[in-house]
């Protein structure tokens, strides 16, 4: 790539990153989107609760988004994995392209293949990984017979035999949500300590509580979910499993830049952003699941759009200051 300096580099080509690129492209910004090609929802055959795209493939949505961006000549989407980042001062580094306003790039990125890129602003929209409970057979069912979100996948298994596999007592709420969709819900405590109140709430709504330890998730010969096997050898038939993986943000770039982080109610630590996605690092924004594990596709798209608009506004303000100084 001959052009190594951009108005904005976006790390992540999912719903948030592409939405931001759309806003920036429509403002005639030079934008590079680095896409690892591994969105969080790639395991799902369909996405739900996305107005106008309900029950369609999440990968088709991203493909359509990339196609839409092709009409904006300033936007480039390509593969790439950012492994390092650092903030720069106002002077352009040797070999970089000076910006139209006379300022040098503000952020330097290094990719896994050794390529170095520069940008005036950076948006990190690199998503997260779901660290599943270490139960044999669960990973093979993820996105097929095992899910995380009652709102995303609950309707499709309504009135079926539902298992909620607890990683912690937080899955009590997940079980109560599934009770809206089926009368046959079993909460597998799997070692989670339930309060008396939580246990009573489950039982009061007809949700069975299974305290025996889970040994494995079992599939039939065709790979379809069959049931859950307990430590004592008992196998309980089930049609769908809802679990609570630990969210792990894909944020090494934000860590390298020293962005402020804070504990999240769903576990782990996530970067702190304001309402427009701005981080504590000057010139750096973040959007989507890398900031919040609860960010569904519509939320990620909205956050990306807001961040894209905010970044463009920030660049405009910088250009006004530069024009005033030059005059």
């Amino acid at each position: 790539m001959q052009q190594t300096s951009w108005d904005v580099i976006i790390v992540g080509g999912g719903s948030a990153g592409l939405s931001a690129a759309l806003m920036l492209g429509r403002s005639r910004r030079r934008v590079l989107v680095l896409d690892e090609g591994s969105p969080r929802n790639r395991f799902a055959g369909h996405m739900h609760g996305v107005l106008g795209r309900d029950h369609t493939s999440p990968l088709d949505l991203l493909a359509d988004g990339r196609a839409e961006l092709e009409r904006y000549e300033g936007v480039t989407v390509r593969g790439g994995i950012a492994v390092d980042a650092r903030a720069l001062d106002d002077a352009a580094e040797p070999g970089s392209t000076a910006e139209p306003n006379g300022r040098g790039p503000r952020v330097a990125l290094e990719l896994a293949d050794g390529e170095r890129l520069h940008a005036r602003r950076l948006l990190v929209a690199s998503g997260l990984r779901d660290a599943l409970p270490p139960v044999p057979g669960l990973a093979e069912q993820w996105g097929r017979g095992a899910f995380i979100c009652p709102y995303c996948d609950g309707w499709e298994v309504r009135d079926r035999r539902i298992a909620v596999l607890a990683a912690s007592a937080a899955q009590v709420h997940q079980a109560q949500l599934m009770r809206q969709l089926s009368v046959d819900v079993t909460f597998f405590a799997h070692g989670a300590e339930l309060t008396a109140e939580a246990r009573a709430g489950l039982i009061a709504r007809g949700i069975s509580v299974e305290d025996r330890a889970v040994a494995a998730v079992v599939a039939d010969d065709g790979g379809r979910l069959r049931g859950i096997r307990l430590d004592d050898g008992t196998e309980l038939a089930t049609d769908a499993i809802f679990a609570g993986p630990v969210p792990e943000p894909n944020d090494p770039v934000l860590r390298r830049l020293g962005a402020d982080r804070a504990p999240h109610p769903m576990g782990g630590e996530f970067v702190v952003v304001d309402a427009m996605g701005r981080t504590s690092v000057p010139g750096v924004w973040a959007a989507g699941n890398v900031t919040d594990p609860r960010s569904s596709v519509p939320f990620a798209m909205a956050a990306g759009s807001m961040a894209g608009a905010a970044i463009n506004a920030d660049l405009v303000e910088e250009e006004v200051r530069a024009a005033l100084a030059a005059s």
Side-chain angles (χ1 to χ4, degrees):
M1 179 182 297
Q2 295 182 350
Q3 186 179 30
T4 61
S5 183
W6 302 83
D7 287 326
V8 184
I9 292 177
I10 299 173
V11 177
S15 301
L18 295 182
S19 294
L22 180 61
M23 297 296 282
L24 289 160
R26 290 180 59 79
S27 296
R28 308 191 78 170
R29 294 298 179 183
R30 293 177 296 110
V31 182
L32 173 64
V33 180
L34 296 172
D35 184 9
E36 290 189 25
S38 55
R40 181 189 188 187
N41 58 5
R42 65 190 182 277
F43 301 101
H46 303 92
M47 59 185 179
H48 304 104
V50 183
L51 187 63
R53 299 299 294 252
D54 192 51
H55 204 71
T56 62
S57 165
L59 298 183
D60 286 349
L61 173 69
L62 298 183
D64 290 347
R66 291 191 294 269
E68 288 175 353
L69 288 173
E70 291 177 0
R71 72 180 61 148
Y72 302 102
E73 66 275 7
V75 179
T76 298
V77 182
R78 70 175 181 89
I81 301 174
V83 295
D84 195 13
R86 60 192 179 90
L88 302 175
D89 60 25
D90 290 346
E93 285 197 336
S96 67
T97 304
E99 300 296 342
N101 61 11
R103 291 170 60 98
R106 296 289 300 276
V107 179
L109 283 182
E110 183 175 341
L111 306 189
D113 62 4
E115 182 179 5
R116 297 183 69 189
L117 302 169
H118 306 108
R120 296 168 67 191
R121 301 293 184 270
L122 174 68
L123 170 63
V124 179
S126 45
L128 61 76
R129 302 175 301 278
D130 287 308
L132 298 176
V135 175
L138 180 61
E140 290 76 9
Q141 291 298 322
W142 196 241
R144 301 172 56 202
F147 313 97
I148 183 174
C149 175
Y151 295 105
C152 301
D153 296 290
W155 171 262
E156 282 64 38
V157 295
R158 64 194 183 281
D159 299 324
R160 308 294 295 278
R161 296 168 296 186
I162 308 299
V164 175
L165 178 58
S168 70
Q171 268 66 65
V172 169
H173 178 63
Q174 197 177 43
Q176 294 288 10
L177 290 175
M178 290 309 304
R179 180 59 184 84
Q180 290 296 114
L181 297 163
S182 176
V183 298
D184 192 344
V185 179
T186 301
F187 181 86
F188 289 81
H190 195 51
E193 294 292 333
L194 295 180
T195 66
E197 181 181 7
R199 184 179 292 270
L202 291 169
I203 295 172
R205 296 193 73 205
I207 299 171
S208 301
V209 178
E210 179 55 70
D211 290 308
R212 287 175 289 180
V214 172
V217 170
V218 183
D220 62 20
D221 292 339
R224 293 189 58 177
L225 176 64
R226 188 176 77 200
I228 290 179
R229 187 170 65 244
L230 304 177
D231 265 356
D232 64 6
T234 302
E235 185 177 313
L236 301 179
T238 187
D239 299 309
I241 296 172
F242 283 78
V246 177
E248 298 179 346
N250 296 321
D251 61 356
V253 168
L254 293 169
R255 290 174 181 267
R256 292 288 293 175
L257 290 167
D260 288 347
R261 302 159 55 81
H264 194 279
M266 291 187 67
E269 286 192 339
F270 283 73
V271 65
V272 177
V273 296
D274 67 12
M276 301 298 288
R278 190 190 298 262
T279 74
S280 61
V281 181
V284 178
W285 275 255
N289 276 146
V290 76
T291 72
D292 190 338
R294 299 168 297 189
S295 185
S296 63
V297 170
F299 280 100
M301 293 171 70
S305 293
M306 295 291 282
I311 292 170
N312 182 62
D314 190 56
L315 289 170
V316 167
E317 291 175 2
E318 179 178 287
E319 289 155 4
V320 169
R321 291 192 298 269
L324 289 170
S327 64

